[in-house]
Amino acid sequence: MGTLDSAVRYAEERHWDVFPGTWLVRVPGGEQCSCGRPECGSPGAHPVGTGWAGLATGSPAAVRRMWAKEPGASVLLPTGRTFDALDVPEAAGFLALARMDRMRVSLGPVTCTPDRRVVFFVLAGAAAKTEALVRALGWDPGAVDLVVRGKGGYVAAPPTRVGGRGAVQWARRPTPANRWLPDVAELISPLAYACGQEAAVRARRG
């Protein structure tokens, strides 16, 4: 499924706002981001300009019009609206997923990115609560690599490709069963634990 079909599906089935981001263009020797910056840190997977928040829409018709201008545009989802996102290192994310499965924690959609991050979708409002929740569990929020994306942020959605690194994929794809997203408080214990363990491993490696 291409980025247009995916963007329409997210708008129709999940009522998520979406907006088109940059895309990859062929150049001698490979591909580069449509932004034209050879040093782009997220090639083909970031907003085109500063006005992206005003472009985000949940209208399938508007989505089709926007993607008609560039069918290969990446699919970006603004956070802080329908959902926030908890972004953790890949090793911590999969450790947390395993613990959550054993604990029978109800999850929302979860993505894996080519940058080796795992992103958990949770109810909007997580950005205001996560630091206090992590601290209450005995972890230093500054020492664990747990990034919260709330109002003013965004995440890339499948099947967006990030340069030559690969595509964003679903670790837990959207289904009718996970339409109702969990609150950050329901996930924070296994996530903070997994991020703390990952930080300890990094520290031992120097």
Side-chain angles (χ1 to χ4, degrees), residues 3-4 7-8 17-23 34 44-59 62-78 154-157 160:
T3 57
L4 167 59
V8 169
D17 284 352
V18 301
F19 66 99
T22 54
W23 55 94
S34 61
H46 64 83
V48 172
T50 57
W52 61 265
L55 294 175
T57 178
S59 162
V63 169
R64 290 187 177 92
R65 286 195 299 272
M66 288 192 292
W67 260 266
K69 299 174 184 177
E70 179 45 62
S74 54
V75 183
L76 305 180
L77 311 175
Y154 67 90
V155 295
T160 295

Side-chain angles (χ1 to χ4, degrees), residues 10 18 21 39 52 55 59-60 66 84 88 90 97 109 114 116 123 126 129 133 140 152 157-158 162-163 172 177 188:
Y10 298 148
V18 301
E39 74 285 358
W52 61 265
L55 294 175
S59 162
M66 288 192 292
D84 282 1
V88 303
E90 184 179 75
L97 280 171
R116 302 192 66 172
L123 285 174
K129 300 186 285 187
L133 289 168
D140 176 3
V162 185
R172 298 288 188 276
I188 199 63

Side-chain angles (χ1 to χ4, degrees), residues 46-127:
H46 64 83
V48 172
T50 57
W52 61 265
L55 294 175
T57 178
S59 162
V63 169
R64 290 187 177 92
R65 286 195 299 272
M66 288 192 292
W67 260 266
K69 299 174 184 177
E70 179 45 62
S74 54
V75 183
L76 305 180
L77 311 175
T79 50
R81 299 186 182 187
T82 310
F83 63 87
D84 282 1
L86 306 177
D87 179 337
V88 303
E90 184 179 75
F94 284 119
L95 174 60
L97 280 171
R99 288 175 64 86
M100 290 174 191
D101 286 344
R102 290 196 299 271
M103 296 163 65
R104 299 182 183 276
V105 174
S106 295
L107 287 169
V110 181
T111 63
C112 303
T113 77
D115 299 320
R116 302 192 66 172
R117 308 285 295 185
V118 177
V119 181
F120 294 76
F121 289 33
V122 295
L123 285 174

Side-chain angles (χ1 to χ4, degrees), residues 127-156:
K129 300 186 285 187
T130 300
E131 183 173 328
L133 289 168
V134 171
R135 201 178 298 281
L137 290 166
W139 300 97
D140 176 3
V144 296
D145 186 1
L146 197 165
V147 179
V148 188
R149 305 197 183 281
K151 187 175 181 180
Y154 67 90
V155 295

